[in-house]
């Protein structure tokens, strides 16, 4: 499996990954820029790679199947493919009352 490269500043071949609410607090990151080595990869592949590179806390948080995923402001699934220039937003599970 190819390994996406994390960067502090977005480049032309990057995907912007944004974390929201409690997930942002747990991970200690608001936003990452991730370089894609291939033309596309799935959300699941990207999240798995981040979990492997960043450790147990990330693995636990990103492994939650209830996370809400959006690509370019459209609700998506973990099977959705990311392309260069996409914005991936990851939200913690939604609860209500």
């Amino acid at each position: 499996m190819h390994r996406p490269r994390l960067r502090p500043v977005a480049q032309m071949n990057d995907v912007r990954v944004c974390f929201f609410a409690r997930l942002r607090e747990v991970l200690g990151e608001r936003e990452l820029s991730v370089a894609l080595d291939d033309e596309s990869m799935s959300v699941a592949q990207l999240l798995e790679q981040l979990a492997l590179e960043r450790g147990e806390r990330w693995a636990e948080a990103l492994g939650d199947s209830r996370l809400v995923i959006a690509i370019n402001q459209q609700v998506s699934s973990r099977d959705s493919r990311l392309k260069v220039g996409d914005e991936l937003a990851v939200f913690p599970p939604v609860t209500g009352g």
Side-chain angles (χ1 to χ4, degrees):
M1 178 182 353
H2 64 279
R3 297 173 61 88
R5 294 182 309 273
L6 303 179
R7 300 178 203 228
V9 178
Q11 304 291 318
M12 292 300 290
N13 64 332
D14 288 355
V15 169
R16 182 174 159 208
V17 184
C18 303
F19 303 104
F20 292 90
R22 174 148 169 68
L23 190 58
R24 177 188 299 171
E25 295 170 14
V26 169
L27 300 178
E29 292 279 355
R30 176 187 187 117
E31 181 177 313
L32 296 173
S33 187
V34 180
L36 296 184
D37 292 332
D38 293 335
E39 289 184 22
S40 73
M41 69 185 311
S42 73
V43 171
Q45 289 172 313
L46 179 72
L47 295 180
E48 287 168 13
Q49 191 60 48
L50 288 173
L52 284 172
E53 290 179 359
R54 295 287 180 116
E56 188 175 325
R57 181 176 48 159
W58 281 64
E60 186 176 323
L62 297 180
D64 188 338
S65 63
R66 301 170 300 153
L67 292 176
V68 177
I69 304 294
I71 300 172
N72 301 326
Q73 300 180 4
Q74 296 292 317
V75 174
S76 303
S77 74
R78 288 179 180 257
D79 295 329
S80 298
R81 304 298 290 179
L82 293 163
K83 299 179 304 306
V84 169
D86 281 347
E87 177 187 78
L88 171 64
V90 186
F91 299 87
V94 178
T95 60

